[in-house]
Amino acid sequence: KEHSSHRKNIDIAYYRGEPQLAVDLLVSTVSYAESLFKEQALRFAVTTNGTLITKEIADYLYRKRFRMTVSIDGPEQIHDKYRKDAGGNGSFKLASLGLRNLINAYGDEAGKLIRLNMVYTPPFSGDQLQCISELWKELPWLPTTVKARIGYPSPGTIPKEDLENNPTREDGDCIQWTYSEYVKSLIVKRKVHPIAASLIEQNLAQLLRRPIYDEPFDKYYLNGCCIPAVRRLYVSVSGTFHVCEKIATSAPTIGSVYTGLDLGALKKIYIDEFDRLS
């Protein structure tokens, strides 16, 4: 609140690990945030694997207008290859049950407030993408208005040998499949498949939403890099501050909830050192 007085909208997101493991803490922090930010619009978001989403939790998330990202990689045989529980069992049945609870709770607003996070896993090929896209057939209750964000696995999330045999840098099937599916839908005048739409439209959106100004700025930031704590701030479970969740705790600490932002560290690491390396 102290650093966000100039903002009209406040976004609070829960992810990394599984937020539903501490659903009571999530509920209490939502209430606390609502008591703090009385003059600003609060927007909440959760990234979840869906396995713990009960009907009651789904109803609560909808009442609070949570934007939901559910991790599900495709139909059961694809999802269960890498997303297993502690006993080594596939998690698709529980994940899809949680997703259905959300779809039922959100109703007509599911397409606006729920999206899927799909990891495109080896073997990288057009056939694999086609199999992934069959999720909507396997789950006929899943609206096609629910968008999907699809991407390659993050380093360390799947066995190294799987990536060595299927290097992402040599994969062109993703682009080819997306282009083919998108054009095909336009020719026959039908709705674009959610996965193809996501891959095409997120790139178009970057182009269309780029800032265009009539006058030059009075200052320019270093190489367009993220400015710590201006757009976002990553808070670890131990209370330390980091510049971004994308690199999480491997990034240097820039303060904590107990001591505030460390301006000296910010200047040294993210201005002086960045300038020297650039």
Side-chain angles (χ1 to χ4, degrees), residues 90-109:
S91 61
F92 180 82
K93 284 184 170 60
L94 283 175
S96 57
L97 178 61
L99 176 59
R100 187 164 194 175
N101 285 333
L102 286 171
I103 296 296
N104 291 339
Y106 278 66
D108 292 340
E109 294 189 271

Side-chain angles (χ1 to χ4, degrees), residues 146-159:
V146 172
K147 295 290 180 69
R149 182 181 63 187
I150 188 166
Y152 292 102
S154 300
T157 57
I158 64 173

Side-chain angles (χ1 to χ4, degrees), residues 11 145 147 154 202 207 272:
D11 292 282
T145 53
K147 295 290 180 69
S154 300
Q202 68 187 8
L207 178 66
D272 297 344

Side-chain angles (χ1 to χ4, degrees), residues 22-262:
V23 69
D24 291 342
L25 179 60
L26 184 149
V27 170
S28 68
T29 54
V30 167
S31 298
Y32 179 59
E34 290 173 333
S35 71
L36 281 181
F37 295 97
K38 295 184 181 297
E39 308 299 323
Q40 294 150 294
L42 267 175
R43 301 185 299 195
F44 298 102
V46 156
T47 297
T48 174
N49 62 32
T51 59
L52 299 175
I53 302 284
T54 63
K55 181 182 181 301
E56 292 71 27
I57 291 174
D59 289 342
Y60 169 80
L61 294 167
Y62 176 64
R63 285 200 307 274
K64 296 299 180 181
R65 309 287 295 165
F66 266 80
R67 287 168 293 146
M68 301 298 301
T69 299
V70 182
S71 298
I72 192 161
D73 293 344
E76 187 169 7
Q77 76 275 14
I78 290 177
H79 178 90
D80 283 353
K81 184 177 180 182
Y82 293 108
R83 294 192 185 270
K84 303 179 186 297
D85 63 17
N89 305 302
S91 61
F92 180 82
K93 284 184 170 60
L94 283 175
S96 57
L97 178 61
L99 176 59
R100 187 164 194 175
N101 285 333
L102 286 171
I103 296 296
N104 291 339
Y106 278 66
D108 292 340
E109 294 189 271
K112 184 168 68 173
L113 295 173
I114 299 174
R115 70 175 177 177
L116 304 183
N117 176 48
M118 308 181 84
V119 177
Y120 173 33
T121 54
F124 303 129
S125 68
D127 289 341
Q128 177 81 337
L129 281 162
Q130 190 59 46
C131 289
I132 291 172
S133 72
E134 298 295 315
L135 176 68
W136 277 259
K137 289 184 180 178
E138 187 158 317
L139 305 178
W141 44 263
L142 180 62
T144 55
T145 53
V146 172
K147 295 290 180 69
R149 182 181 63 187
I150 188 166
Y152 292 102
S154 300
T157 57
I158 64 173
K160 185 186 290 186
E161 56 270 21
D162 288 6
L163 283 179
E164 287 174 348
N165 296 328
N166 299 271
T168 58
R169 65 180 178 276
E170 294 178 11
D171 174 46
D173 292 284
C174 187
I175 295 171
Q176 290 301 321
W177 180 88
T178 302
Y179 175 78
S180 172
E181 188 69 25
Y182 202 86
V183 170
K184 198 190 326 176
S185 68
L186 296 177
I187 291 171
V188 299
K189 297 183 178 177
R190 63 173 170 80
K191 274 194 170 182
V192 181
H193 191 280
I195 293 178
S198 171
L199 288 166
I200 291 280
E201 289 166 8
Q202 68 187 8
N203 289 326
L204 288 175
Q206 288 181 337
L207 178 66
L208 293 171
R209 292 175 183 168
R210 72 193 189 283
I212 300 174
Y213 303 97
D214 294 327
E215 299 291 334
F217 291 150
D218 58 354
K219 59 185 174 183
Y220 290 89
Y221 296 112
L222 291 171
N223 202 27
C225 64
C226 294
I227 307 300
V230 171
R231 183 162 171 264
R232 64 177 59 189
L233 182 67
Y234 176 68
V235 187
S236 74
V237 291
S238 61
T240 55
F241 291 156
H242 304 271
V243 67
C244 179
E245 81 284 356
K246 302 290 185 186
I247 47 177
T249 50
S250 62
T253 301
I254 56 173
S256 77
V257 293
Y258 310 106
T259 59
L261 288 168
D262 185 339

